[in-house]
Amino acid sequence: ETGVTQTPRHLVMGMTNKKSLKCEQHLGHNAMYWYKQSAKKPLELMFVYNFKEQTENNSVPSRFSPECPNSSHLFLHLHTLQPEDSALYLCASSQGTGVEQPQHFGDGTRLSIL
Amino acid sequence: DQQVKQNSPSLSVQEGRISILNCDYTNSMFDYFLWYKKYPAEGPTFLISISSIKDKNEDGRFTVFLNKSAKHLSLHIVPSQPGDSAVYFCAASELTGGGNKLTFGTGTQLKVEL
């Protein structure tokens, strides 16, 4: 399924760099999400946006800064990351905010921090 | 402490036989459960869900069973096909108040052999 597109697919950056992850959904959904999946750990919800407004911040460090300019686009701005931030970052979207609305995931960005 | 547990990291089944994937949860507030399937280098895709007012939900070859008293659910795939080989994630949420905040398990790698 290509309804949710994430770029780049892979990213290697140093701890002092600033980079951004991009997510775009073509499904007409209103809610968008960022998840983190570290090795051997479950997917962890980071942020939720509904109609461009942030509705959930799951105690994410401030070195991760999300931005949602419209319901179709979601960014995750990264700065001064740590080696433990190396992970797969997944974006998802859903029609509404009810849990009965399945979340549709992108293929993720594999992030490596040197 | 993980609230959703998939204690079998891997499962191998012969083509045509039944695959049974298990999931346990500890949070008694969870009342909506989902299964997602993930192929390598792709994002998770929604498979099937169940609300706690039901004990079974069926969709083609996939059936999810919920035992609320035991805080246990299982996904049955019958007959299993080679294309079912993937990682299966169990997820849980609260219908009211939990919104779209999913808590995931660590996944079970299913391999369907010819």
Side-chain angles (χ1 to χ4, degrees):
Chain A
E1 182 180 295
T2 57
V4 180
T5 304
Q6 289 187 244
T7 54
R9 292 296 309 274
H10 301 273
L11 178 61
V12 180
M13 57 187 283
M15 289 191 284
T16 57
N17 291 156
K18 288 185 182 181
K19 296 283 184 184
S20 296
L21 309 185
K22 179 183 175 183
C23 176
E24 183 174 1
Q25 59 96 0
H26 308 276
L27 301 168
H29 289 166
N30 303 317
M32 296 188 78
Y33 315 75
W34 279 117
Y35 285 86
K36 174 184 178 183
Q37 186 177 24
S38 303
K40 309 272 188 208
K41 290 189 177 180
L43 275 80
E44 265 181 84
L45 180 66
M46 298 175 73
F47 301 103
V48 181
Y49 278 82
N50 189 34
F51 288 101
K52 304 188 298 178
E53 300 298 319
Q54 188 181 113
T55 57
E56 182 73 24
N57 177 337
N58 199 19
S59 304
V60 181
S62 59
R63 58 186 183 270
F64 294 91
S65 175
E67 179 191 0
C68 189
N70 54 62
S71 293
S72 299
H73 293 86
L74 185 64
F75 295 90
L76 188 62
H77 303 299
L78 316 171
H79 59 98
T80 326
L81 294 194
Q82 305 298 310
E84 62 265 27
D85 297 323
S86 297
L88 179 67
Y89 289 85
L90 288 160
C91 172
S93 69
S94 62
Q95 180 60 46
T97 55
V99 71
E100 294 143 311
Q101 302 287 343
Q103 294 180 24
H104 296 249
F105 285 83
D107 291 337
T109 295
R110 174 72 61 185
L111 176 66
S112 299
I113 306 300
L114 300 177
Chain B
D1 185 34
Q2 277 183 248
Q3 298 184 66
V4 176
K5 298 177 185 178
Q6 293 177 258
N7 292 318
S8 298
S10 63
L11 175 67
S12 188
V13 170
Q14 272 195 317
E15 182 181 11
R17 307 294 288 266
I18 185 170
S19 296
I20 300 176
L21 296 103
N22 293 304
C23 178
D24 297 291
Y25 62 96
T26 57
N27 187 341
S28 57
M29 299 300 291
F30 288 150
D31 52 12
Y32 196 83
F33 305 90
L34 307 92
W35 285 93
Y36 279 81
K37 170 179 167 180
K38 184 180 184 304
Y39 292 118
E42 293 184 12
T45 55
F46 170 72
L47 197 54
I48 193 169
S49 61
I50 188 167
S51 163
S52 61
I53 61 172
K54 295 183 174 181
D55 55 17
K56 176 183 173 181
N57 189 24
E58 193 171 350
D59 183 3
R61 295 185 298 113
F62 303 91
T63 303
V64 57
F65 294 92
L66 175 62
N67 182 333
K68 222 182 153 186
S69 61
K71 295 193 180 68
H72 176 83
L73 63 154
S74 59
L75 174 68
H76 292 212
I77 307 173
V78 55
S80 301
Q81 299 173 354
D84 296 329
S85 297
V87 178
Y88 289 79
F89 292 100
C90 172
S93 184
E94 300 169 41
L95 265 173
T96 55
N100 41 23
K101 287 159 52 178
L102 298 179
T103 300
F104 282 85
T106 49
T108 296
Q109 171 78 61
L110 173 65
K111 184 177 179 183
V112 179
E113 297 172 320
L114 296 170

